[in-house]
Amino acid sequence: MADGLIDQVRAAAGQGRRLRIRGGGTKDWYGEQPADADAATVLDTRGHAGIVEYDPSELVVTARCGTPLADLEATLAASGQMLACEPPHFGSGATVGGCVAAGLSGPRRATAGSIRDFVLGAKLINGRGQHLSFGGRVIKNVAGYDVSRLLAGSLGILGVITEVSLKVVPAPVAETTLRFDGIAQAEAIRRLNHWAGQPLPLSASAWSGDTLHLRLSGAAAAVRSATTALGGEVLDAPSAATFWLALREQSAPFFAGDAPLWRLSVPSWTPPLLPGGHSQDAPPDMLVEWGGALRWMRSTLPAETMRAAARDAGGHATLFRRGSLSDAQASGIEAAGCFSPLDPALLRIHQRLKAEFDPAGVFNHGRLYPGL
Amino acid sequence: MDTPAAASIDREALVSRLQALLPDGSVLHTDEAQRPYECDGLTLFRQLPLATVLPSTESELLAVVAVCREAGVPIVPRGAGTGLSGGATPHAQGVLLSTAKMSAILAIDPVARTARVQPGVRNLAISEAAARHGLYYAPDPSSQIACSIGGNVAENSGGVHCLKYGLTVHNVLRVRAVTIDGDVVEFGSGALDGPGLDLLAVLVGSEGMLAITTEVTVKLIPRPQVARCIMASFDDVGVAGDAVAKLIAAGIIPAGLEMMDQPATRMVEPFANAGYDLDAASILLCEADGTPEEVEEEIARMSEVLRAAGATGLRVSTSEAERLRFWAGRKNAFPAAGRVSPDYYCMDGTIPRRRLGEMLRAIQQMEAKYEMRCPNVFHAGDGNLHPLILFDANDPSSLARAEAFGVDILELCVKLGGTVTGEHGVGIEKINQMCVQFPADEREQFFGVKRAFDPHGLLNPGKCIPTLHRCAEYGRMKVHGGELPHPGLERF
Ligand SMILES: Cc1cc2nc3c(=O)[nH]c(=O)nc-3n(C[C@H](O)[C@H](O)[C@H](O)COP(=O)(O)OP(=O)(O)OC[C@H]3O[C@@H](n4cnc5c(N)ncnc54)[C@H](O)[C@@H]3O)c2cc1C
């Protein structure tokens, strides 16, 4: 089934050509965009599609890389199940392989876990054109190194993910979204961390513009009692669904604009971040997700300013979207790289892993870090 | 990597170099002093190392690593030694590095809901320290009073509550570790993700083969307000297995979902007084936790599904003491096996849940074939089996049959679409079965991962991933009659 992909990889490796692995292309903009990226041949994964196995009573689904993410979700929904981490699609063509390789998780991340937490197994074509199988289709498995989880967020630099097995979860019986107005960022962060330390059925949070949204999911009784305990205004179900979808897909008004979009991943209790000399009284406009652990900011500040703010808090900053900048500004930010630089010892391990999986550097050259 | 790089090592010189670096009493080298370290929970394999070191700090540990690296001496990390696959079995030409003296809880942060601890801290000690904040560390291996968090990270350990709350890999935020190159590396962070590849995911479950953990930051979660447990009886193990699938298909994720067959309940009951139904062919323990309302709702839903699935009796715990008794029985299954039999051999395969009935029937046939008893306890919700083969290690025939029995079970797990180990690790115990589960190209890629972290192959060599040569040997042995020659001899 994956023969076509294997042949393309072998041919490229044999001829010293580079490949750019691509599913629906919905996340083309994510990650480094090396100058020589256009020289790479596109390896289109969409032909390798379909759900291989799905038994709802096993809580496991196995799908080929080119399977549209929307199709997978529809199949799960038909059995009352879902992907726990609510991954973003960023376009109608998003594929399962791209979802895992990008490693991005949605609003449910802070309480449910990330996409890597749900990867149970994967098949991979490495740079030698070998089709390898790691992990499996069972929930617990510690045979060999956990290579399949390593592939989540690898941005394709280790090889072509041809198939993944994911643990899925039952969709919650009940769900309610609460809205709290007139809450400053610092207060929102304080409350979110306080609530997270209590046995409440939290499943998502979002703060921006002095409004805090909180989603509760779970058993009907638990959601009901938490709703009473927390107060706030209850959103009607369609508005709530629209709200969380717009957050997940970044179509919410906050995400509009031309300035680069920074993703700051920090410990959840970190007080409002103040890059570029803002004061605590007037923190910059941010959107806070994941119980405080994820902060989004549109900013033209220098990359190092953003990085330092995240680093000082014990986190890291990613240039998530470039926006439409002037060439000069863009080149400054480009030079600093999308992802926070790695500590030298970690970088060495990355380089050696890349060499072990993809010795000739066939795959997604430079997409994660220059040289990888 | 089956044999270490080191040619001949001057043991005395090594010991005196180590003694110069560590405080008195931190380097053991006589046979007598090292005896307690000669095996882990897999007592079939015993080996004295060249020396045993017990560093108290990360810098002492770094110094030991430097000496060993320069001398080309293998290092085997060891936590509490409760591992069941021989992961901490010493290397004859190596140093055993125990984390017993690195056992401080460094910080409990109730706001961040994290605990930062040294690797030798016991699993349960973390939850005990967090209890005053209403928090706990979720993964609860049955060995939790003894096993170390460093060992948990190395094995990706699970527990009876992992179906709902995840394994070690889901509950660890950051691991600080020393590589064989002498680098101190932080994998993960206080945030929910880090830049670059998710190396933390590979480090967890790597059986001490990639780096030595010196500090772990774990996630703490709020203790549920209430928990209640149903004990459901079944007159057929297959029906009980199907009931598990029906619970899950009904959209219920119990906080714990465990199964014991009748030989297991009868073995445990005199020991733990759990109050099990000893007439049932098998029992399921199904726990609900959360707010009082939530628990009521879930107990009602679970009861309904279990009844419809053919349960012959249900008993719901009416007090916390009774709930804990239900679990005490389950958690004491291994010690109970040790009481009724001179030795027991704990298997750890995982299979797709729907194959449970099939597997149990096959095990019954194997009991007849090998003329041995094998009570079964399962993490049923995860499809993770722990058949306990009862044998007598002093009887060579009994030992040989037990080993062959175990091999049959593991290889059937692979055939049914599962794995040879769900949570105890490969170590040396299941290294031959890795040849059955993984083809040569996969194994070679695993060695690639190993080289990326440990280019000289000095960390816990010869474990976890079998060489091509070893698998060829194993293939030949299987061809010649299926039974291993000299089963009692070391095979590493
Ligand atoms: C009665 C009993 C019940 C058990 N129940 C369960 C259970 O329910 N679930 C479960 O998952 N397991 C269970 N186990 C198995 C065992 O307790 C776990 O595997 C545990 O995590 C081992 O921890 P340890 O500290 O004893 O590690 P050890 O046995 O000392 O070592 C285990 C492995 O970890 C490595 N290691 C230890 N410390 C470090 C470190 N600091 N850095 C790098 N590598 C290190 C060792 O090299 C070895 O490979 C049980 C064992 C027993 C005896």
Side-chain angles (χ1 to χ4, degrees):
Chain A
M1 268 300 280
D3 290 353
L5 293 173
I6 296 168
D7 290 345
Q8 290 178 67
V9 170
R10 289 194 179 146
Q15 297 157 8
R17 271 188 297 117
R18 286 186 175 145
L19 294 174
R20 177 183 170 95
I21 309 167
R22 194 166 189 269
T26 55
K27 298 166 190 77
D28 274 348
W29 44 268
Y30 181 58
E32 295 290 347
Q33 311 286 330
D36 56 1
D38 290 343
T41 315
V42 169
L43 183 82
D44 188 334
T45 64
R46 286 174 299 182
H48 192 60
I51 291 174
V52 178
E53 185 173 75
Y54 174 45
D55 176 347
S57 78
E58 295 289 337
L59 292 179
V60 177
V61 65
T62 301
R64 296 193 188 95
C65 54
T67 313
L69 189 53
D71 289 4
L72 178 72
E73 288 175 338
T75 302
L76 298 177
S79 293
Q81 298 187 336
M82 61 179 198
L83 295 176
C85 72
E86 230 178 337
H89 291 219
F90 294 140
S92 58
T95 62
V96 172
C99 165
V100 172
L104 299 171
S105 305
R108 213 173 286 269
R109 160 68 180 101
T111 48
S114 65
I115 187 85
R116 86 67 136 135
D117 288 331
F118 293 88
V119 171
L120 300 175
K123 287 192 181 169
L124 177 82
I125 305 172
N126 68 9
R128 295 182 189 83
Q130 295 167 326
H131 199 196
L132 309 174
S133 180
F134 298 104
R137 296 178 189 177
V138 287
I139 290 175
K140 273 163 92 179
N141 185 358
V142 293
Y145 304 119
D146 202 342
V147 172
S148 35
R149 284 191 214 277
L150 173 68
L151 299 176
S154 64
L155 278 180
I157 68 159
L158 301 179
V160 189
I161 301 169
T162 57
E163 191 178 298
V164 285
S165 293
L166 298 168
K167 183 182 171 192
V168 299
V169 299
V173 178
E175 200 149 84
T176 293
T177 295
L178 302 175
R179 176 189 164 125
F180 303 85
D181 287 314
I183 297 190
Q185 191 186 153
E187 173 61 12
I189 291 168
R190 199 193 59 74
R191 283 197 197 183
L192 287 169
N193 280 278
H194 174 68
W195 289 331
Q198 296 180 2
L200 294 166
L202 304 173
S203 74
S205 64
W207 176 94
S208 74
D210 284 354
T211 299
L212 175 63
H213 285 85
L214 199 64
R215 190 175 62 191
L216 306 166
S217 312
V223 170
R224 229 176 7 250
S225 62
T227 305
T228 315
L230 294 172
E233 177 198 332
V234 175
L235 254 66
D236 63 81
S239 315
T242 309
F243 176 84
W244 296 110
L245 185 67
L247 179 71
R248 185 189 88 185
E249 294 303 320
Q250 301 195 334
S251 56
F254 172 87
F255 294 100
D258 293 333
L261 177 67
W262 284 90
R263 177 187 188 277
L264 301 118
S265 177
V266 294
S268 63
W269 47 270
T270 308
L273 293 167
L274 307 169
H278 286 267
S279 82
Q280 274 294 352
D281 302 332
D285 192 21
M286 291 210 185
L287 187 142
V288 179
E289 273 196 87
W290 294 5
L294 188 61
R295 322 263 170 110
W296 298 97
M297 185 178 174
R298 283 248 178 230
S299 171
T300 50
L301 286 169
E304 184 40 35
T305 306
M306 302 304 290
R307 295 247 144 87
R311 194 170 55 232
D312 291 348
H316 64 107
T318 302
L319 174 61
F320 197 72
R321 292 179 192 264
R322 289 171 179 72
S324 42
L325 289 183
S326 73
D327 289 350
Q329 268 176 320
S331 63
I333 290 181
E334 291 289 316
C338 279
F339 301 106
S340 290
L342 296 172
D343 152 270
L346 272 179
L347 180 60
R348 247 187 329 271
I349 299 173
H350 276 70
Q351 288 162 338
R352 291 187 200 139
L353 274 173
K354 172 73 176 177
E356 293 288 352
F357 279 85
D358 180 20
V362 176
F363 301 116
N364 286 11
H365 178 77
R367 182 84 183 258
L368 187 60
Y369 284 101
L372 286 187
Chain B
M1 277 186 211
D2 250 3
T3 41
S8 71
I9 292 145
D10 180 347
R11 176 172 177 174
E12 268 162 42
L14 177 72
V15 167
S16 50
R17 285 196 67 190
L18 292 168
Q19 280 171 332
L21 293 167
L22 300 187
D24 284 353
S26 301
V27 181
L28 313 177
H29 55 95
T30 64
D31 287 1
E32 195 189 354
Q34 295 191 93
R35 200 61 74 193
Y37 300 93
E38 70 179 352
C39 67
D40 60 10
L42 182 71
T43 52
L44 284 177
F45 297 91
R46 291 172 196 270
Q47 174 65 55
L48 286 174
L50 290 180
T52 299
V53 296
L54 297 97
S56 310
T57 62
E58 188 179 84
S59 39
E60 287 178 13
L61 193 148
L62 273 165
V64 171
V65 167
V67 166
C68 291
R69 183 182 61 243
E70 283 154 23
V73 173
I75 300 176
V76 176
R78 174 184 169 109
T82 68
L84 292 170
S85 54
T89 308
H91 193 290
Q93 300 300 314
V95 162
L96 185 77
L97 187 155
S98 160
T99 60
K101 289 191 178 177
M102 297 175 76
S103 59
I105 294 181
L106 301 170
I108 301 270
D109 184 336
V111 178
R113 289 153 279 119
T114 58
R116 194 160 57 82
V117 304
Q118 289 188 323
V121 168
R122 289 174 308 113
N123 172 297
L124 188 61
I126 302 175
S127 290
E128 285 169 352
R132 66 196 160 94
H133 304 293
L135 301 170
Y136 76 114
Y137 174 61
D140 57 342
S142 302
S143 52
Q144 70 183 146
I145 43 171
C147 64
S148 74
I149 190 71
N152 291 175
V153 167
E155 302 287 11
N156 190 16
S157 300
V160 296
H161 292 98
C162 282
L163 181 60
K164 184 165 173 183
Y165 295 106
L167 305 160
T168 303
V169 70
H170 303 112
N171 288 279
V172 165
L173 289 170
R174 171 171 47 196
V175 168
R176 185 178 162 98
V178 166
T179 65
I180 195 70
D181 293 332
D183 291 316
V184 179
V185 187
E186 300 250 343
F187 299 94
S189 74
L192 290 178
D193 47 38
L197 295 171
D198 194 342
L199 300 182
L200 180 59
V202 194
L203 195 71
V204 175
S206 65
E207 303 195 15
M209 311 267 298
L210 302 184
I212 307 172
T213 299
T214 57
E215 198 179 291
V216 184
T217 304
V218 300
K219 216 160 80 173
L220 301 174
I221 60 171
R223 203 164 262 298
Q225 282 169 271
V226 208
R228 291 181 77 194
C229 186
I230 305 177
M231 179 181 68
S233 307
F234 291 86
D235 55 15
D236 179 273
V237 282
V239 175
D242 293 342
V244 169
K246 286 176 183 158
L247 277 173
I248 305 285
I252 302 170
I253 303 287
L257 184 50
E258 298 283 314
M259 181 164 155
M260 298 170 81
D261 67 5
Q262 192 178 40
T265 54
R266 292 195 170 174
M267 175 179 79
V268 160
E269 190 61 28
F271 186 64
N273 297 315
Y276 292 154
D277 176 357
L278 301 181
D279 296 324
S282 91
I283 61 163
L284 284 182
L285 296 177
C286 315
E287 182 152 288
D289 68 7
T291 61
E293 306 88 338
E294 199 176 0
V295 170
E296 279 318 300
E297 189 177 313
E298 199 168 292
I299 290 282
R301 284 179 69 207
M302 294 201 300
S303 303
E304 196 183 311
V305 175
L306 289 167
R307 265 195 215 98
T312 53
L314 296 184
R315 209 166 97 208
V316 183
S317 64
T318 50
S319 66
E320 185 62 5
E322 186 176 22
R323 183 184 77 88
L324 293 176
R325 259 200 316 279
F326 283 175
W327 286 116
R330 168 60 189 86
K331 290 197 175 183
N332 280 302
F334 299 176
R339 230 184 53 141
V340 302
S341 167
D343 297 280
Y344 69 95
Y345 192 24
C346 173
M347 299 285 101
D348 173 44
T350 301
I351 53 170
R353 267 183 297 257
R354 63 175 178 280
R355 316 297 294 263
L356 223 57
E358 207 174 322
M359 186 76 200
L360 286 167
R361 279 191 296 279
I363 291 179
Q364 273 168 4
Q365 283 162 12
M366 293 177 205
E367 286 186 283
K369 172 175 166 196
Y370 292 105
E371 296 173 16
M372 313 199 99
R373 287 196 296 148
C374 180
N376 286 290
V377 297
F378 300 123
H379 301 299
D382 307 316
N384 186 195
L385 326 167
H386 292 322
L388 299 167
I389 303 170
L390 308 182
F391 72 102
D392 179 357
N394 287 325
D395 169 359
S397 140
S398 171
L399 174 58
R401 278 179 290 134
E403 291 201 312
F405 194 159
V407 166
D408 275 8
I409 294 178
L410 294 184
E411 297 188 358
L412 183 58
C413 288
V414 176
K415 221 160 98 191
L416 295 180
T419 175
V420 297
T421 173
E423 58 180 14
H424 295 166
V426 173
I428 47 175
E429 182 211 9
K430 284 164 267 203
I431 195 154
N432 286 330
Q433 282 67 52
M434 287 291 284
C435 306
V436 179
Q437 187 164 339
F438 291 100
D441 288 348
E442 274 80 350
R443 284 184 266 120
E444 177 46 33
Q445 195 71 79
F446 282 142
F447 280 122
V449 172
K450 167 81 170 153
R451 283 190 296 267
F453 284 81
D454 174 20
H456 319 292
L458 287 177
L459 284 178
N460 218 357
K463 311 254 179 90
C464 191
I465 315 295
T467 56
L468 258 181
H469 175 71
R470 184 178 188 113
C471 288
E473 286 277 297
Y474 183 61
R476 269 199 295 280
M477 281 196 278
K478 298 241 19 140
V479 173
H480 294 289
E483 293 208 4
L484 307 181
H486 315 298
L489 295 183
E490 294 164 356
R491 281 188 264 117
F492 59 101

